[in-house]
Amino acid sequence: MAATRARVSSFSRNVSTVTSQNHGLKHGPNGTMFISSGIPDLDKILGGGFSLGSLVMVMEDPEAPHHMLLLRNFMSQGLVQKQPLLYASASRDPKSFLGTLPSPASPKGDNKSSDLSHEKDLRIAWQYKKYFGEPQLNLNTNNGGQHDYCNDFDLRKPLDRHFFSGNNVDCVSIKDSPNLTALQDCCAGFLAKFSRNEGSISSAGRIAIQSFCSPQCKYSNEEWHMLSFIRSLKGMARSSNAVIVVTFPPSLLPPSCSKRLQHMADTLLSVKAIPDEDKELAKLLTGYQDMIGLLNVHKVARLNTQVPVILEATTFSIKLQKRRFLVLECLNQAPVDGSSGSSYGTSGGCSGSTKAGPLDF
């Protein structure tokens, strides 16, 4: 009996722990750890955020730079959480892009006065006061209480310079680069700081590569060189506590190369612009006038598991709430007039026929 008790008491789960000093991390299933994408709705869609050790690829739209919205929020979220960042782009001065990053909104501080005014007008029970005025998009807060796991970022307000003026941001220009050797060495040195071990996770890093395979890069015609770089980058990410986000234009690549890049991604997203005046699409969808683009989720990373991910929807509308905050919503079909026939998904008994029948109501 004593031996049985000893066996039960000696049992311990093999799950990596997160120290109290570490911010911006969230536990997931099967021992997976998440970091936020910087968009609360996208975190909910993906089941918590981006998995540590995963490669996220975003397919760009040549007609609109909507991929920049995802990249800016991803970078700002990491800088707010004091997570080191490596940014690479085809511009000559990639550091200038840091000045366009959005600043996190402070709903708690801004809503204090409004909460007090509402409490004067409304009388609620004391046990419900703790829920009054609580932000809806607060997924998880760190122990320090400084910033949330995922913030709402104001696209009109630039990020304070003290977030990226330190030594936690590295910027690399890949324009006019003959090959990807220099970028690969930078990524390897950066990921070496976040090597994964069986103990606790002390810190997490982020890598953002903008417009990979752009025509400004001399290696854009070397298909196998680009594929081998992404393959090695994915292997390095697996053994590190970091997330890599790469955006690339599939329309400028051969179909075979684009398909291989999509296959190597752990999480695959794509953005698409919406024409200003598409009368057919405006009749089909509700809230069309507020949409600026579409986000498609092609693949969701699931590490340490073989269970497939079943999403409620794969296409979402991109909207700017109050022209400041990035919001993702499911597509809703607009109501169809009864005279034009039945809408999609309705049965024959509820059609828009004008003939009276025993089951019509």
Side-chain angles (χ1 to χ4, degrees):
M1 191 68 176
T4 304
R5 291 180 180 176
R7 291 197 194 104
V8 175
S9 61
S10 61
F11 174 78
S12 61
R13 289 187 177 185
N14 187 15
V15 178
S16 61
T17 58
V18 180
T19 59
S20 60
Q21 292 81 9
N22 194 15
H23 306 299
L25 295 178
K26 184 179 181 180
H27 283 283
N30 303 314
T32 306
M33 298 298 299
F34 293 111
I35 63 174
S36 175
S37 63
I39 305 174
D41 294 332
L42 184 56
D43 288 347
K44 294 178 182 179
I45 294 170
L46 300 178
F50 295 148
S51 303
L52 281 183
S54 64
L55 173 65
V56 182
M57 304 200 72
V58 182
M59 292 186 286
E60 304 174 3
D61 187 358
E63 298 181 0
H66 292 331
H67 63 280
M68 305 294 291
L69 298 174
L70 306 181
L71 202 64
R72 285 190 177 99
N73 283 36
F74 172 75
M75 295 170 61
S76 294
Q77 185 65 53
L79 295 178
V80 166
Q81 298 292 349
K82 298 181 180 180
Q83 297 172 349
L85 171 68
L86 174 62
Y87 171 66
S89 69
S91 62
R92 292 189 179 276
D93 186 16
K95 289 185 178 180
S96 60
F97 182 74
L98 301 178
T100 63
L101 299 182
S103 176
S106 55
K108 296 180 180 179
D110 296 341
N111 293 338
K112 286 183 179 179
S113 59
S114 60
D115 293 343
L116 294 177
S117 61
H118 284 299
E119 289 186 10
K120 292 180 181 179
D121 300 335
L122 301 176
R123 290 188 178 184
I124 57 178
W126 62 269
Q127 61 267 31
Y128 298 110
K129 285 187 177 181
K130 60 182 179 179
Y131 302 106
F132 192 77
E134 186 176 353
Q136 298 180 355
L137 298 177
N138 183 13
L139 298 180
N140 188 15
T141 56
N142 54 30
N143 297 328
Q146 298 177 357
H147 298 284
D148 297 337
Y149 169 77
C150 184
N151 297 89
D152 284 327
F153 289 94
D154 190 349
L155 298 178
R156 290 189 175 184
K157 184 179 178 181
L159 188 65
D160 293 337
R161 295 186 62 87
H162 74 272
F163 284 110
F164 53 85
S165 60
N167 297 326
N168 59 337
V169 180
D170 296 329
C171 297
V172 179
S173 176
I174 56 178
K175 186 176 182 179
D176 299 332
S177 298
N179 51 47
L180 291 166
T181 304
L183 180 59
Q184 185 173 358
D185 294 340
C186 292
C187 294
F190 181 83
L191 294 175
K193 305 175 184 177
F194 311 98
S195 60
R196 181 172 300 180
N197 51 32
E198 298 180 358
S200 60
I201 302 176
S202 58
S203 60
R206 301 185 181 220
I207 294 180
I209 302 178
Q210 175 191 344
S211 298
F212 183 69
C213 315
S214 68
Q216 290 83 357
C217 303
K218 294 182 179 180
Y219 57 81
S220 58
N221 295 327
E222 301 179 6
E223 178 179 344
W224 288 107
H225 184 54
M226 294 184 295
L227 293 175
S228 61
F229 170 78
I230 294 296
R231 188 182 297 108
S232 63
L233 197 64
K234 181 178 180 179
M236 291 186 293
R238 279 290 189 273
S239 59
S240 65
N241 294 318
V243 173
I244 304 174
V245 176
V246 180
T247 67
F248 69 99
S251 59
L252 302 180
L253 297 174
S256 59
C257 181
S258 177
K259 290 295 183 181
R260 288 184 173 92
L261 289 176
Q262 298 174 31
H263 179 71
M264 286 188 289
D266 295 317
T267 299
L268 182 62
L269 309 174
S270 67
V271 291
K272 184 179 181 181
I274 294 181
D276 295 336
E277 296 181 359
D278 192 341
K279 297 182 179 179
E280 296 296 332
L281 194 60
K283 294 179 180 179
L284 183 62
L285 302 176
T286 60
Y288 171 79
Q289 63 278 3
D290 299 329
M291 299 180 187
I292 63 173
L294 297 175
L295 173 71
N296 294 313
V297 181
H298 303 274
K299 189 193 303 183
V300 180
R302 280 297 179 268
L303 306 181
N304 304 326
T305 181
Q306 296 181 353
V307 179
V309 180
I310 301 177
L311 302 177
E312 297 181 359
T314 57
T315 304
F316 302 88
S317 62
I318 303 175
K319 297 182 179 180
L320 291 180
Q321 186 179 11
K322 299 180 181 180
R323 298 182 179 180
R324 291 176 177 267
F325 307 103
L326 190 62
V327 177
L328 303 178
E329 294 181 356
C330 294
L331 298 180
N332 296 321
Q333 184 181 9
V336 181
D337 188 9
S339 60
S340 62
S342 60
S343 61
Y344 176 78
T346 57
S347 60
C350 297
S351 62
S353 177
T354 57
K355 298 180 180 180
L359 297 179
D360 291 341
F361 54 89

